[in-house]
Amino acid sequence: MSDLLGLATLSRVPAACRPRITPGTAGAGIVHLGLGAFHRAHQAVFTEDAMAAAGGDWGIVGVAPRSVTVLEALRAQDRLYSVTTLAAEGRSTRVVGSLAGLRHAASDPDAVVQLLADPAIRIVTLTVTEKGYRLDPATGRLLLDDELRGDLESARPPRTVPGLLIRGLAARRRADAGPIALVSCDNLPANGHRLRGLVDYLATATSHTDWVRENVTFPGTMVDRIVPASTDETRAIARGELGVRDEAALSGEPYSAWVIEDDFPAGRPAWEKAGAVLTGDPRPWETLKLRTLNGVHSAIAYLGALAGRETIADALTLPGMAGMLRRFIAEDIAPSLTPPPGVDRIEYGEEVLHRFANPALVYRTVQVAMDGSQKLPQRVLHTILDRRAAGATPRWAIMVVAGWMRFTGGVADDGHPLPLDDPLAARIRARRAAAPATPAGVVDALLGLDTVFAPELADDEVVRDQLIEWLTEFDKHGVEATLAGTS
Ligand code: CS2
């Protein structure tokens, strides 16, 4: 008998761990692009709980844009997988049954296009990471590269996420399949607005402008749950809890939040019954989360990795790190934003630090550090811009950028190599190589990345001087001693 999680072995799983809905009974109502860990531990869980509470055909057809690894593991398990919630005081595991189908966009893009034309599909959600939208991180404008141009100007199967979206909407129009909501669940500023701008451009380029404006909405969201990359330990824990193997096992923190703009022309799951917040304006939540949680996450990642720390929780124990982060939150982030009603920015920041200190979560600093050119603008640079506009010098936020700049050098303070996993890695390396190997040389080289640093930031002498000062400190004393010296 198989020992793999699936419909045939579900009866062997402890009852408390089994799905909250009967797998396979809910019709597909949602297509999700980007079958990564975060979606499966966040939106897919909220959606299962919403269906358990209020029913509805809101099964999710998960679409993997490129990699087949997770897809094949899920196919072998009848689309079932588990999520183990890891807290300092203990853990709990649940099998999730809200996936109603699986597709692989790279090998069968037309199947995805046809899905988007199906009237039963009324929502598309996306977690394709910041770079998946092909937007300029500094301005939010579309970066029209050859691959995307090919999707727009030829009849070949689409190869990009934006190409899939516009082909699918065109097919939906032809099929007269009715209205639909496209919902970005990525850590982008004004993610609904940015997705609308992207699709508006594509619709204009393909003569579907009016139909898109009349039939498609773009609800903004704030999404939040710390979900580390799965390891053999993740799968071993799942096996111990379930009594069967789960090759697609995930883990996550106890905290999970989803704030969603309530703009769904063809209905939606009762996500509010699963604990989500439906609102007319998610922006305050989104700005608070991107600048506080994600900004602090990136701070710990770059400074911690440079100081030789493997995990976020370990890096947080560096002498001076927590104190610096509290000043980053209080002196730079909090004054840069208006929080949602009733939310205290400092208390929110303290909760973020508590979440990052969770010793049960093994979240690697280099995982957070990847794609820095795509993440820094909304996580740290917008904080700097707002504080500079107010006449302040956000020295802690600038320290984080200095940490990223040093990190792009590819070497930790103890000489160990650091990975530069970034869509702009070649440009970053080329600019650094062409510049003097001095703090000023590195700063000027990287401030010249115009898709990362807006002109008002790149030309700000106060920011430049503070960056040079921090990099000089790092050169002289190392990150660990510099942090210790800030307390
Ligand atoms: C993290 C995020 O890897 C990263 O960049 O900062 O994935 C973070 O864990 C989530 O946004 C938390 O909601």
Side-chain angles (χ1 to χ4, degrees):
M1 171 184 282
S2 167
D3 68 342
L4 191 63
L5 175 62
L7 292 174
T9 59
L10 206 47
S11 59
R12 289 161 50 187
V13 169
C17 300
R18 293 176 199 160
R20 313 276 161 89
I21 58 172
T22 305
T25 54
I30 298 172
V31 164
H32 182 78
L33 301 182
L35 205 52
F38 181 77
H39 166 73
R40 290 189 289 127
H42 183 270
Q43 299 104 56
V45 171
F46 272 101
T47 301
E48 174 169 293
D49 289 347
M51 287 194 281
D57 286 327
W58 297 108
I60 301 167
V61 180
V63 177
R66 295 188 189 283
S67 165
V68 292
T69 309
V70 170
L71 210 64
E72 287 169 350
L74 290 168
R75 278 196 178 119
Q77 297 181 177
D78 302 317
R79 306 187 294 271
L80 298 175
Y81 65 94
S82 66
V83 181
T84 296
T85 296
L86 297 171
E89 56 276 8
R91 62 184 177 222
S92 64
T93 300
R94 63 181 282 183
V95 175
V96 179
S98 54
L99 288 180
L102 297 166
R103 298 291 188 282
H104 183 225
S107 62
D108 193 359
D110 289 338
V112 180
V113 169
Q114 290 318 309
L115 258 181
L116 300 183
D118 181 342
I121 299 299
R122 290 150 285 163
I123 297 172
V124 177
T125 51
L126 299 91
T127 52
V128 293
T129 78
E130 296 86 345
K131 56 183 178 288
Y133 296 83
R134 297 172 187 247
L135 298 175
D136 178 313
T139 65
R141 282 195 297 269
L142 185 63
L143 295 169
L144 194 57
D145 58 19
D146 292 344
E147 204 175 32
L148 178 52
R149 191 174 282 110
D151 282 355
L152 294 177
E153 296 169 1
S154 77
R156 64 158 167 73
R159 295 175 185 164
T160 65
V161 166
L164 270 176
L165 286 177
I166 196 60
R167 290 285 185 83
L169 292 176
R172 190 173 189 89
R173 177 184 185 185
R174 289 193 298 273
D176 194 18
I180 192 168
L182 302 190
V183 190
S184 171
C185 295
D186 281 296
N187 289 320
L188 289 176
N191 55 17
H193 179 74
R194 286 200 175 197
L195 182 56
R196 174 190 296 277
L198 167 63
V199 173
D200 269 353
Y201 176 92
L202 301 171
T204 303
T206 53
S207 308
H208 295 295
T209 306
D210 293 343
W211 185 86
V212 165
R213 288 193 180 148
E214 289 158 16
N215 290 277
V216 186
T217 63
F218 302 86
T221 67
M222 184 284 283
V223 291
D224 192 2
R225 188 178 190 184
I226 300 172
V227 179
S230 292
T231 63
D232 290 343
E233 172 71 7
T234 312
R235 289 177 284 275
I237 289 171
R239 176 158 195 154
E241 298 286 317
L242 301 177
V244 294
R245 275 186 303 119
D246 175 1
E247 295 305 319
L250 300 174
S251 65
E253 65 170 330
Y255 182 98
S256 190
W258 196 7
V259 177
I260 311 164
E261 182 179 4
D262 200 356
D263 185 8
F264 293 82
R268 60 169 176 80
W271 282 314
E272 68 281 0
K273 294 188 185 301
V277 172
L278 277 295
T279 177
D281 180 12
R283 290 298 307 275
W285 285 103
E286 174 215 274
T287 304
L288 175 73
K289 188 262 180 176
L290 283 174
R291 295 188 184 187
T292 310
L293 181 127
N294 293 113
V296 169
H297 220 187
S298 292
I300 300 170
Y302 296 120
L303 299 174
L306 287 163
R309 301 302 175 94
E310 174 85 10
T311 69
I312 292 293
D314 186 25
L316 194 49
T317 66
L318 279 161
M321 175 72 91
M324 172 270 178
L325 295 173
R326 287 191 170 92
R327 296 189 69 179
F328 176 29
I329 292 166
E331 297 173 23
D332 296 351
I333 299 172
S336 79
L337 58 88
T338 301
V343 174
D344 179 282
R345 289 163 288 187
I346 304 304
E347 286 176 11
Y348 179 86
E350 280 303 313
E351 182 182 44
V352 161
L353 294 177
H354 175 72
R355 291 168 58 194
F356 286 147
N358 182 345
L361 276 190
V362 180
Y363 207 117
R364 298 176 65 235
T365 49
V366 293
Q367 177 181 345
V368 180
M370 68 185 288
D371 291 350
S373 69
Q374 312 297 304
K375 295 178 178 180
L376 272 185
Q378 55 270 19
R379 296 182 179 206
V380 185
L381 304 185
H382 293 175
T383 298
I384 295 173
L385 282 165
D386 286 347
R387 296 305 295 143
R388 293 295 298 132
T393 301
R395 61 196 296 259
W396 311 110
I398 296 171
M399 180 195 251
V400 179
V401 179
W404 171 74
M405 289 184 166
R406 185 173 176 85
F407 182 90
T408 64
V411 181
D413 289 356
D414 63 5
H416 280 89
L418 292 173
L420 184 55
D421 185 351
D422 192 298
L424 300 188
R427 283 186 65 195
I428 290 166
R429 291 194 180 98
R431 296 188 69 90
R432 286 183 63 101
T438 62
V442 170
V443 167
D444 291 337
L446 297 182
L447 283 179
L449 290 167
D450 58 2
T451 59
V452 180
F453 297 95
E456 58 270 36
L457 195 54
D459 300 336
D460 187 324
E461 285 303 317
V462 169
V463 172
R464 178 180 182 274
D465 291 346
Q466 185 64 64
L467 283 168
I468 292 169
E469 184 180 324
W470 283 126
L471 281 182
T472 302
E473 279 293 297
F474 292 158
D475 277 352
K476 280 181 183 170
H477 308 297
V479 168
E480 183 160 354
T482 301
L483 280 171
T486 61
S487 49

